[in-house]
Structures are given as C-alpha cells and as structure tokens.
Amino acid sequence: MSSTAASEVTCDLLLDGGTVITLDGDKRVIDDGAVAITGTHIVAVGDSTELDQHRRAAKRSIDCSGKVVMPGLTDGHTHLFQTLGRGMGDGLSLVPWLRRFMFPYAKTITGEIAAAAAQLGALQAALSGTTMVVDNHYGPTDTETTLAVADSIESVGIRGAVARGIFGDPNRGGEIMGVAPELFPWSNDEELSITKECMDARPSGSQVEVWPGPENIVYVTPELIAASAELADNGNVRWHMHCSESASEIDFFESIHGIRPVAWLAREGLLSHRTTLAHAIWLDDDEVAAVGENTSTAVHNPISNQYLASGVLRLKPLQQAGANVALGSDGIAVTGQDMFEAMKAGTLLHRVHHLDPEATTVEQFVEIAATGGATMTGLDAGSLAAGRQADVIVVDVDKVRHTPWNRPVASVVHCGRAADVEMSIVGGKIIVENGKSTVVDEDEVRAKATEAAERLIADADLSGLTQGWFSPGAG
Ligand SMILES: [Zn+2]
C-alpha cells in the first residue's frame, strides 16, 4: 500500500484475516489477507499487514479468520418463477418435461404467484453466495409482472437481469416443439413494445435490468430474434436466449430453416458481446469458432444438462476460441439455486465425459462462476481488486469437511456448500450476515411462496407430479 497517512486511508468495511481468493490479474490467493471496501467499491486488497492503515481507521472490521473471502458468484441462467415447482419434473426428458410440467405451469401461473416465486428463488440465491442472477422470466410476461419480478430480485439485495421471455407470433417451431399456444399471447410487435417499456423502467445500470429474452431459437421467428438483438443494442444491455440445448432442437431448426441455429446467428450478424446463449451445447466447429470470434457468452448449466441428459458443452474449444463461458443453475424446477453445486458438477462432468481428470480444473470453474458471470453481464465485478464493485462473499471453512486446509480453491469447490456462505455483500452493502438475510424476513418469504405453490399446483392440475413415488411412464 502507499505511504499515505492513516487518516487518509479509512474504509467503511474491512474483511480482515481470511484466505482471499482474488481472481485478479495475478490470480493471487492470499493467506491472511484483507479486503477494504468504501461505499460501493473495493479500495484495497492485500495481505493483512499491507492493509494495516485501513485496519486502524476502518469504520467496521470483520474478523475473517477461518473463512474465505472471494468474489460474489453470478447465476448466468435461471428461471425464478419456476421455484414453486421444486422437484416436480424429475425423471422426464426435455420435451416431455416441457409439455407435461413446465408449459402447464407457465401458462397457469399468475403475476402475483410469479413474484412470490421469484422472491423465494432470489432469496435462496442470495443466501448461497450468488450476488447476480440472470433470470429468464417467461410466465407471465406482461409489463406489470415483469417489473414485479425485477422488484422481487431487488428486494433481497442482489443484482439481476430479467431476460423477459419473448415468444411472439405462433410459428412452425412452436408447433414442432409442442409449445402451449397460451405462451404466445402477443404478436411480434407487441412483444417488442412491452419489452421496450420494461427496459425503459429498468434501464442499463439499474440494480436489476431488463433484457430482451427471445425464448428459444427454435420457436421465436427469425425477425423477432433479430429485433430483440437490436433492442438490446439500443438499450446498451445484453440479450439472452435458449440455444442448441438438445440435439433434437438442431434437427427441428434445420428442418425449418435449412441451416444450424448458431450458424444462422453468425450469418445474420447476431453474435456479439451482447449475445448470451443459455446451454449452447450442440455446436459444430464452425459454430464454436463464431461464438468465440464474437466474444459471445455461452452459459454452461452442468446440473441441468445432466438432469435432462441434454449433452455436454464443448468447454475447452469454446474457451480456446475466445468465447466467454458463464455458469448457470437453470433454476429450481431443474435443480436448485446453488452455484457451489454447479461449480462442482461442472468440474466433474467434463472429466468423466472425456475420461480425463485433467479436462477441468477447480480454478477454471470458480473463474467461470465469478468472472465469467461478470463479463457476461458487463458488470465491473467478478474479481477482488481496488476499483471494482464490492460484490464479495465470505465463506465459512472452519469446519470438519474443510480440515485440513491444504488447498483453498479445491476445498471450496469440492467440499464447499452454499450453506457455508456466511456473508454476502453487494455494492458494499451487507445483504446476508451470519447466513441470514439482513433485508427480508425469510419466514415471511417462505410462507407467501408456500401458499402460492398450493394454489398454482391446484390451478395447473399438476398434483400428479407431487406424488410420493413417481414413475415416469405413467400419466
Ligand atoms: Zn433454461
């Protein structure tokens, strides 16, 4: 640190004495480190002795010995409105999962129920060390509900983007995929004007932004996808879309358009740093190169992809080509709002897929979850360095399962649990302390969501999916 006088190096908050996983340019992991925060930003990171002047003047100092201090994680792809369907579609592959579970759920859910679901999901994210979520919201998507979902995310203190699900004019892709016609309530023009209205209410730079989210490359018309990308450009935000998740979707798209999905995006000039593709699994070599050249984001959802047996993202080729890779949970209806689980699942998935324990590193997955997420959203966070946004988490590793404390990053990924997260800080504000939300009453959020779930399951006639012992062939 510089030799400025002690009085000049005061800070609001000093996280002192922990193992600091910085993800900075030098990828420093500092034993007995400290992070100083003033206002919304990090002002210094170093070993404890270097930050001695901050220590003397800090307004608040927190002893982080026995803990890890690391950047907050980004969930790059989730569906918070699905939170009330926790566990219900298990054992179904993607198309039956959509037809028997998610489409009835999505066409029945009301705005009020969706907002309660989103708050519960966002709360789980906050408690799990996720400081930013990209929420692909598609039920229902009127202006009022979309903005209520954004409010739900903000209410628990985290950052977010609501990628508003856009369906538009009914089309051949929707028919082939068996998408419920009720999910196409608006024309292409109406979709664009509602999305624009929501983006104006929560413009670029808001704590929770609204992005265009053309729902799926197969069942949104090409014109509407192109117009969504343009809307994102004009609003200086990202746009988000399910793309090439299952092999059958490639066949569907090719049968309609005569070209592979990502090849089409490339041909139309729709790949840019603003393009964020959820899944992006079934890409050929040319498509991988195109995503890389344009520094677009592929959001890897390793748990969802195993759960629905969709396939395995081409991680190494994408990263080598220059693509940004972020990590997603894909929501609670699939697994859970838990990025620790996703980091571990991702690390292991590629090893068994390639029968090669060197196919991934734990460091790579911490980086994807933190830095990859920040790059995806355009936020100046995702690493701990002076000048960055203070989105920081403190993880308690003073536990049997982390003993002995030999290799910090490996322990966090392989032995860590979301429940180890003790503190979450977003833009300098403590939103979780001692593992509890400091901004909402957790019991109240749970009670409201439980009541909403009961109504939804009855109204959507989904009680068959809540049976004690489920057999996928039945019903
Ligand atoms: Zn999804």
Side-chain angles (χ1 to χ4, degrees):
M1 291 297 103
S2 68
S3 57
T4 353
S7 59
E8 290 172 52
V9 289
T10 178
C11 63
D12 293 338
L13 181 62
L14 186 71
L15 304 170
D16 195 17
T19 301
V20 180
I21 300 174
T22 62
L23 296 175
D24 66 4
D26 297 327
K27 303 286 187 292
R28 288 181 301 162
V29 176
I30 311 168
D31 294 331
D32 193 16
V35 176
I37 296 167
T38 290
T40 54
H41 284 73
I42 296 169
V43 291
V45 179
D47 69 42
S48 261
T49 51
E50 280 179 307
L51 269 67
D52 197 42
Q53 292 183 340
H54 291 89
R55 179 173 306 106
R56 276 184 265 133
K59 290 184 187 144
R60 183 174 177 199
S61 184
I62 295 171
D63 178 10
C64 291
S65 49
K67 303 180 203 309
V68 162
V69 181
M70 62 188 280
L73 308 175
T74 291
D75 186 344
H77 180 71
T78 188
H79 305 280
L80 296 176
F81 81 94
Q82 297 177 0
T83 305
L84 305 182
R86 199 186 288 277
M88 285 171 57
D90 184 70
L92 301 174
S93 65
L94 180 63
V95 172
W97 185 90
L98 288 169
R99 288 181 188 164
R100 288 175 50 192
F101 169 45
M102 193 38 59
F103 291 149
Y105 181 108
K107 72 184 190 193
T108 309
I109 191 168
T110 64
E112 182 207 347
I113 293 179
Q119 194 182 31
L120 179 71
L123 176 60
Q124 188 186 347
L127 296 172
S128 305
T130 298
T131 48
M132 166 97 192
V133 293
V134 176
D135 178 32
N136 176 220
H137 174 74
Y138 61 92
T141 54
D142 57 281
T143 304
E144 194 187 343
T145 305
T146 305
L147 295 178
V149 166
D151 290 344
S152 288
I153 296 171
E154 190 161 324
S155 75
V156 304
I158 60 174
R159 299 182 201 272
V162 178
R164 177 186 173 275
I166 289 172
F167 290 75
D169 297 337
N171 57 77
R172 180 87 188 102
E175 275 169 40
I176 297 179
M177 291 275 287
V179 186
E182 293 87 341
L183 287 173
F184 295 85
W186 286 294
S187 69
N188 285 7
D189 287 347
E190 287 166 333
E191 291 280 20
L192 292 168
S193 87
I194 296 168
T195 306
K196 171 86 169 59
E197 197 177 12
C198 295
M199 288 168 65
D200 287 345
R202 283 189 164 272
S204 173
S206 304
Q207 182 167 342
V208 180
E209 297 178 341
V210 175
W211 299 354
E215 197 52 41
N216 186 303
I217 196 162
V218 178
Y219 52 80
V220 179
T221 63
E223 308 79 58
L224 189 51
I225 294 171
S228 299
E230 194 185 333
L231 204 54
D233 251 338
N234 295 340
N236 188 30
V237 293
R238 293 356 194 189
W239 64 282
H240 190 64
M241 176 172 67
H242 288 93
C243 183
S244 304
E245 175 176 2
S246 65
S248 58
E249 289 168 86
I250 310 301
D251 298 338
F252 295 156
F253 191 88
E254 273 194 303
S255 75
I256 303 168
H257 303 288
I259 184 171
R260 296 176 63 87
V262 174
W264 176 79
L265 287 172
R267 189 185 76 192
E268 301 299 313
L270 296 173
L271 292 175
S272 76
H273 70 287
R274 299 192 190 283
T275 311
T276 70
L277 303 175
H279 304 295
I281 294 169
W282 296 92
L283 271 54
D284 69 14
D285 291 346
D286 291 342
E287 292 179 311
V288 166
V291 171
E293 267 163 39
N294 291 287
T295 64
S296 303
T297 292
V299 187
H300 186 18
N301 299 279
I303 297 183
S304 165
N305 299 157
Q306 291 178 77
Y307 184 98
L308 293 170
S310 304
V312 181
L313 177 101
R314 299 182 64 192
L315 178 61
K316 208 173 188 177
L318 277 164
Q319 289 194 310
Q320 279 172 345
N324 177 50
V325 177
L327 193 63
S329 69
D330 209 1
I332 275 161
V334 181
T335 50
Q337 213 60 49
D338 181 341
M339 300 306 290
F340 282 80
E341 211 177 62
M343 285 192 290
K344 180 170 183 175
T347 302
L348 300 179
L349 170 62
H350 299 269
R351 294 183 184 179
V352 70
H353 180 65
H354 296 287
L355 299 179
D356 177 8
E358 294 183 10
T360 54
T361 63
V362 287
E363 288 81 2
Q364 184 182 17
F365 269 83
V366 171
E367 201 169 8
I368 287 171
T371 319
T375 302
M376 170 190 182
T377 60
L379 188 70
D380 189 19
S383 65
L384 303 183
R388 297 263 183 197
Q389 287 280 348
D391 289 13
V392 186
I393 61 174
V394 178
V395 183
D396 184 7
V397 291
D398 187 12
K399 293 177 185 293
V400 170
R401 68 168 169 273
H402 289 289
T403 306
W405 186 237
N406 291 328
R407 196 178 145 192
V409 181
S411 207
V412 165
V413 172
H414 288 308
C415 315
R417 302 283 182 273
D420 297 344
V421 173
E422 195 171 271
M423 177 173 281
S424 286
I425 299 168
V426 176
K429 184 180 175 197
I430 297 173
I431 62 154
V432 171
E433 190 166 1
N434 299 319
K436 296 268 171 214
S437 174
T438 62
V439 284
V440 288
D441 180 331
E442 293 176 19
D443 292 339
E444 227 170 74
V445 173
R446 288 178 64 191
K448 202 162 68 178
T450 303
E451 186 273 328
E454 284 164 7
R455 270 192 287 152
L456 175 62
I457 289 164
D459 293 350
D461 199 16
L462 287 172
S463 55
L465 295 177
T466 63
Q467 60 200 252
W469 195 264
F470 176 66
S471 24

